């Protein structure tokens, strides 16, 4: 019969509480993302399926964490597990949990990152961006593969990972080094994904305030980078001789990292839930003011109108000196995912042309006498 450890320490309570919260939060935002798709009349695409899979791995990670507390003795000293509770195998059960935790941590993060990149690739259809996105996906795949295989190749034989008493013994590398390496590469991947859309956003023909707002919306991924740094720092405090007591903080940050990643990946596409009308093809419609209202709003000029007799020269447009054309695309531009997958930057392009000609004021008898 499996022994169940009592919940006594603050670390145990924190791991259980965060495990529940970190399961509910990504599940709720993923549901809201699907709901936003439905409200905007947009079909579920690959990025949505990937984020759903990522969410499932994240929830599984939290379940394994809670199991490690109740069954693996996470939060207690190894000596307490052996002497107080009479479990001779010590941290054996926890180390089995740790292998599963590393696998689900890597899977949850990698699927989430590829989902974000796929979404960005539909928004920013630029050749250089597409190339960068593909290279980043390859790096993420290789990172995930390395993180998943590491616990299987770190010790020979594999069972020696959790059972140091097996007949004939075995050898193990230093797991702290592999955790540092996978954590550092993970943080670099987060930074690359964070910076990828910034050049395209800052080059948009929008007011600086709007560009900065968009950059801030996409830049909330910096929170994931911060958590990655905290996770790497916490790894430095792990004592492999007392792993069940020194591991909770690292596991807590490892649980928080994919949870925040999934949450932020969904937040940037939830705009349809906050209002707006959408056509059956997924195109957003906007309630813009009338032409008269726009004319009244822009009636204040930045220069003073000249009277006929106020200068030796006058400003006069040529016969067809001013032309303005307004055109609306008949169909949404599919390459941009209806221009922004919820960003709704608009589908109207306006081109204005005018010419100002300066010519001498006509000579009259009145001006000759002045």
């Amino acid at each position: 019969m499996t022994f169940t450890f009592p919940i006594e320490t603050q670390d145990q309570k924190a791991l259980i509480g965060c495990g529940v919260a970190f399961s509910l939060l990504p599940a709720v935002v993923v549901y809201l993302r699907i709901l936003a798709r439905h409200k905007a009349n947009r079909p579920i695409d690959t990025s949505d399926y990937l984020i759903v899979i990522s969410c499932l791995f994240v929830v599984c990670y939290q379940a394994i964490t809670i199991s490690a507390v109740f069954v693996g003795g996470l939060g207690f000293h190894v000596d307490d597990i052996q002497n107080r509770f009479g479990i001779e195998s010590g941290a054996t059960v926890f180390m089995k949990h740790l292998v599963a935790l590393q696998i689900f941590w890597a899977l949850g993060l990698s699927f989430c990152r590829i989902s974000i990149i796929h979404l960005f690739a539909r928004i920013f259809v630029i050749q250089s961006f597409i190339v960068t996105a593909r290279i980043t996906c390859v790096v993420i795949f290789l990172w995930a593969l390395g993180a998943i295989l590491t616990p299987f190749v770190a010790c020979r034989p594999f069972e020696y990972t959790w059972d140091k008493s097996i007949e004939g013994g075995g050898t193990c590398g230093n797991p702290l080094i592999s955790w540092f390496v996978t954590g550092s590469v993970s943080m670099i991947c987060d930074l690359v994904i964070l910076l990828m859309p910034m050049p395209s956003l800052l080059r948009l023909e929008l007011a600086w305030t709007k560009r900065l707002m968009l950059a801030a919306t996409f830049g909330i991924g910096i929170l994931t980078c911060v958590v990655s740094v905290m996770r790497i720092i916490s790894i430095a405090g792990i004592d492999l001789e007392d792993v069940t007591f020194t591991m909770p903080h690292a596991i807590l940050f490892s649980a928080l990292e994919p949870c925040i990643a999934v949450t932020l990946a969904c937040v940037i596409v939830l705009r349809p839930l906050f209002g707006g009308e959408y056509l059956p093809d997924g195109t957003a419609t906007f309630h813009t003011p009338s032409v008269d209202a726009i004319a009244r709003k822009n009636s204040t000029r930045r220069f003073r109108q000249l009277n006929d007799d106020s200068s030796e020269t006058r400003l006069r447009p040529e016969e067809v000196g001013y032309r303005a054309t307004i055109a609306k695309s008949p169909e949404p531009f599919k390459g941009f995912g209806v221009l922004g997958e919820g960003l709704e930057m608009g589908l109207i392009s306006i081109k204005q042309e005018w010419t100002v000609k300066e010519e001498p004021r006509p000579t009259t008898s009145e001006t000759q006498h002045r």
Side-chain angles (χ1 to χ4, degrees), residues 77-112:
H77 291 284
V78 173
D79 289 341
D80 290 337
I81 295 175
Q82 294 175 334
N83 301 326
R84 179 184 169 187
F85 300 105
I87 300 177
E88 296 295 332
S89 58
T92 297
V93 176
F94 169 72
M95 293 304 295
K96 292 180 179 179
H97 281 74
L98 189 58
V99 173
L101 285 173
Q102 185 164 350
I103 294 173
F104 280 94
W105 172 74
L107 289 173
L109 278 177
S110 58
F111 273 90
C112 179

Side-chain angles (χ1 to χ4, degrees), residues 105 179 183 227-235 250 253-254 257:
W105 172 74
W179 295 340
V227 175
S228 296
V229 173
M230 297 301 296
R231 178 180 179 274
I232 294 174
I233 294 174
S234 65
I235 291 175
F253 285 116
S254 298
E257 186 177 8

Side-chain angles (χ1 to χ4, degrees), residues 138-348:
V138 172
V139 173
I140 291 173
F141 173 78
L142 295 176
W143 168 83
L145 186 62
I148 293 171
L149 293 178
T150 295
F152 294 98
V153 299
C155 293
R156 285 288 182 268
F158 175 56
E159 292 79 6
Y160 195 69
T161 303
W162 57 79
D163 186 5
K164 305 300 182 186
S165 63
I166 60 176
E167 185 178 354
T171 58
C172 278
N174 189 345
L176 292 179
I177 296 177
S178 65
W179 295 340
F180 271 117
V181 172
T182 54
S184 300
V185 176
S186 174
M187 182 183 64
I188 293 173
C189 291
D190 288 335
L191 286 173
V192 171
I193 294 174
L194 175 67
L195 297 176
M196 279 174 60
M198 295 304 168
S200 300
L201 288 174
L202 296 177
R203 285 198 300 264
L204 289 174
E205 294 184 2
L206 296 172
W208 267 104
T209 54
K210 293 184 178 181
R211 276 183 278 181
L212 291 177
M213 288 177 63
L214 284 173
T217 301
F218 283 84
I220 56 179
I222 190 66
L223 296 177
T224 308
C225 300
V226 172
V227 175
S228 296
V229 173
M230 297 301 296
R231 178 180 179 274
I232 294 174
I233 294 174
S234 65
I235 291 175
I238 297 175
D239 180 5
L240 296 177
E241 297 298 324
D242 195 11
V243 65
T244 53
F245 184 76
T246 58
M247 196 75 174
H249 289 177
I251 290 182
L252 191 62
F253 285 116
S254 298
L256 179 60
E257 186 177 8
C259 171
I260 289 183
V262 172
T263 302
L264 298 182
C266 296
V267 166
I268 60 177
V269 295
L270 296 185
R271 180 174 175 177
L273 298 179
F274 299 95
E277 297 179 2
Y278 296 82
L279 300 178
D281 61 359
T283 304
T285 59
F286 300 90
H287 297 288
T288 55
S290 63
V291 176
D292 292 340
I294 295 176
R296 289 194 299 270
K297 179 179 178 181
N298 297 329
S299 61
T300 302
R301 305 190 181 192
R302 290 180 294 178
F303 57 87
R304 181 172 58 87
Q305 184 175 358
L306 300 177
N307 297 323
D308 288 344
D309 57 353
S310 61
S311 172
E312 293 299 323
T313 61
R314 58 176 175 160
L315 300 177
R316 186 183 68 182
E318 293 183 344
E319 291 182 357
V320 190
Y322 178 84
R323 290 177 295 175
T325 58
I326 302 177
K328 183 180 185 301
S329 174
E331 295 183 358
F333 184 40
K334 300 300 183 182
F336 279 81
V338 196
L339 271 181
E341 296 291 345
L343 297 179
E344 280 85 37
M345 297 177 189
L347 293 173
I348 297 178

Side-chain angles (χ1 to χ4, degrees), residues 3-26:
F3 180 79
T4 302
F5 289 87
I7 307 302
E8 299 177 354
T9 68
Q10 291 297 324
D11 286 340
Q12 289 176 307
K13 296 175 183 178
L15 287 167
I16 294 173
C18 292
V20 174
F22 296 164
S23 298
L24 293 177
L25 180 59

Side-chain angles (χ1 to χ4, degrees), residues 109-148:
L109 278 177
S110 58
F111 273 90
C112 179
R113 288 166 178 162
I114 295 176
S115 171
I116 295 173
I117 293 175
H118 187 275
L119 175 66
F120 286 176
R122 293 194 62 199
I123 297 174
F124 307 102
V125 186
I126 304 171
Q127 185 63 29
S128 58
F129 186 93
I130 299 298
V131 172
T132 304
R134 290 175 178 174
I135 294 174
T136 306
C137 283
V138 172
V139 173
I140 291 173
F141 173 78
L142 295 176
W143 168 83
L145 186 62
I148 293 171

